[in-house]
Amino acid sequence: MHDICHLDSDWFVNALATFLIIGLVVSYCPQHLRIIQIGSSEGFSPWFLLLGSTSSAAGMLNMIALSWHTIQCCNDLSVGKCLEITAGVTQVVLQWVLFTTILVLYMIYYPARLKYVDIDIPAHGTLPPQHVKTKLLSDDWRLSVNVSWAVTIHLVLITIITFFVLSTRIQEPGGEVPHQISLWATFLGVSSALLAAIQYAPQLSRTYHSKLVGALSIPMMIIQSPGAFVMSISIALRPGTNWTSWAMYAVSGIMQSALLAMCIAWKFRQRRLKIDDFGYSLDSSSSTPLTDDIDTVVGEVSDPQVGDMSFDSNAEDAREDVPLLAKPSRSARSSRFFGWLRL
């Protein structure tokens, strides 16, 4: 305990940790601001957000469990020294907070036009069919709500188990990490790395099939792709950590680099076709997508009792002249913060 609490200052490790903490905030800001500014989170895969949130949560608690002795040193040290020796923990906690914020913004700014199933009612004569909104939730929105609850339940569960293991630990002779903590931390680290390995698969699939960037932020990925490898090195240099603590960030860096390359390729394609990130023409006011490859994400009607469905006569019809990213009113935005909790 004494050696851990009174380690000599390493200017390189401290400078690297400070750089990464600032870099994390700077790298996530473009994505957060992009979703808020365009008022839409279209283009994200709910599975990507589920896997990323659970992976970062497991990685965070892995670091906390392995660094618990170091964290306890703050009771006897100055604030500056405490921040120095717990910089690795700060990095992973910040990583989890910033990524989970994307999930929160995804739910708040989920396009209202995609929350419910639309049907076409044939019109008489040569008139075009009418688009009518139903009260049936789309499969994608239902999945998004379930993902949010799954992330919350997972976080609560592993947090309770982690602090239970820490509170009942049996100290090993020689100051080694207690066996039960080592086993639990290994489970968290391995599960975090496995989740990170498959985290980008659904997002890569959605982005590949849509052939559009959507609400994804290329500047964020440009900063984070190499930053993930630097963060792996920074965590590996921290006392008390092992390969399970940094493996998740190395795997994430590789997968995110692949997503970045795909988004850059689609950017060039969009420029060639003169369409925006959501597939709409830049040369006209038409709101009809110009590409046939767009993932509509409206989903199938999940209620088999189609005959019993009721229509909302006051809902705005999804006409062809309705803008894709209509800016919601201030009151509508404020109601989104808790409205997504209800099905």
Side-chain angles (χ1 to χ4, degrees):
M1 172 72 76
H2 178 81
D3 292 337
I4 294 177
C5 294
H6 297 85
L7 292 174
D8 294 333
S9 298
D10 188 328
W11 69 268
F12 174 75
V13 174
N14 293 336
L16 184 61
T18 303
F19 171 77
L20 285 172
I21 290 172
I22 296 174
L24 275 174
V25 177
V26 172
S27 67
Y28 274 100
C29 279
Q31 183 63 80
H32 297 164
L33 292 176
R34 176 170 172 80
I35 296 175
I36 295 171
Q37 288 174 351
I38 66 178
S40 173
S41 58
E42 187 176 358
F44 278 96
S45 166
W47 292 111
F48 165 72
L49 297 174
L50 169 66
L51 295 170
S53 298
T54 52
S55 175
S56 60
M60 171 185 65
L61 289 169
N62 164 276
M63 189 71 171
I64 290 175
L66 291 177
S67 304
W68 190 244
H69 278 319
T70 305
I71 295 172
Q72 288 183 313
C73 292
C74 289
N75 295 327
D76 304 319
L77 299 175
S78 63
V79 174
K81 189 65 176 178
C82 174
L83 293 175
E84 178 183 340
I85 65 174
T86 59
V89 177
T90 302
Q91 292 173 36
V92 295
V93 171
L94 188 61
Q95 163 78 19
W96 167 75
V97 169
L98 292 171
F99 188 91
T100 306
T101 300
I102 296 179
L103 173 60
V104 174
L105 292 175
Y106 168 81
M107 298 302 297
I108 294 172
Y109 289 96
Y110 191 93
R113 63 188 177 82
L114 299 181
K115 289 184 178 181
Y116 300 95
V117 176
D118 293 352
I119 63 171
D120 291 338
I121 297 180
H124 296 288
T126 58
L127 295 176
Q130 290 185 332
H131 300 285
V132 178
K133 286 186 179 293
T134 72
K135 292 184 178 180
L136 297 177
L137 297 176
S138 67
D139 288 345
D140 205 64
W141 175 240
R142 190 183 295 274
L143 172 63
S144 299
V145 175
N146 291 335
V147 160
S148 300
W149 283 115
V151 169
T152 302
I153 294 171
H154 172 265
L155 175 63
V156 172
L157 183 61
I158 63 174
T159 299
I160 292 175
I161 296 176
T162 298
F163 284 96
F164 173 78
V165 171
L166 290 173
S167 64
T168 59
R169 69 189 184 280
I170 301 175
Q171 189 63 42
E172 295 286 340
E176 298 294 330
V177 177
H179 182 65
Q180 70 270 31
I181 294 179
S182 179
L183 287 177
W184 176 244
T186 299
F187 168 77
L188 289 175
V190 172
S191 64
S192 176
L194 291 176
L195 290 170
I198 61 176
Q199 167 190 354
Y200 284 87
Q203 187 62 58
L204 286 166
S205 176
R206 172 166 291 206
T207 304
Y208 174 78
H209 287 98
S210 69
K211 293 182 172 58
L212 296 169
V213 176
L216 294 172
S217 171
I218 290 180
M220 179 194 74
M221 290 185 283
I222 290 176
I223 299 173
Q224 286 190 356
S225 295
F229 299 105
V230 178
M231 190 165 181
S232 300
I233 296 173
S234 176
I235 293 175
L237 295 175
R238 289 285 159 184
T241 60
N242 55 36
W243 68 271
T244 64
S245 302
W246 56 261
M248 184 267 286
Y249 301 98
V251 173
S252 295
I254 296 172
M255 301 298 288
Q256 193 172 55
S257 298
L259 181 60
L260 171 62
M262 185 182 297
C263 286
I264 292 176
W266 292 160
K267 269 291 188 181
F268 282 108
R269 176 180 179 273
Q270 290 169 195
R271 182 175 299 180
R272 187 178 70 253
L273 297 177
K274 296 182 179 180
I275 57 178
D276 65 11
D277 292 335
F278 297 93
Y280 290 81
S281 174
L282 296 174
D283 297 333
S284 68
S285 59
S286 171
S287 63
T288 303
L290 299 183
T291 173
D292 295 332
D293 301 317
I294 295 177
D295 184 2
T296 58
V297 303
V298 172
E300 300 292 336
V301 177
S302 57
D303 190 342
Q305 302 297 329
V306 178
D308 297 334
M309 71 175 61
S310 59
F311 303 105
D312 186 357
S313 59
N314 296 323
E316 180 183 1
D317 293 341
R319 302 182 306 274
E320 292 186 356
D321 58 343
V322 176
L324 175 64
L325 297 175
K327 297 296 182 181
S329 63
R330 188 175 301 273
S331 60
R333 285 186 177 182
S334 62
S335 65
R336 290 179 175 180
F337 280 88
F338 299 102
W340 62 269
L341 291 171
R342 300 187 299 272
L343 278 177

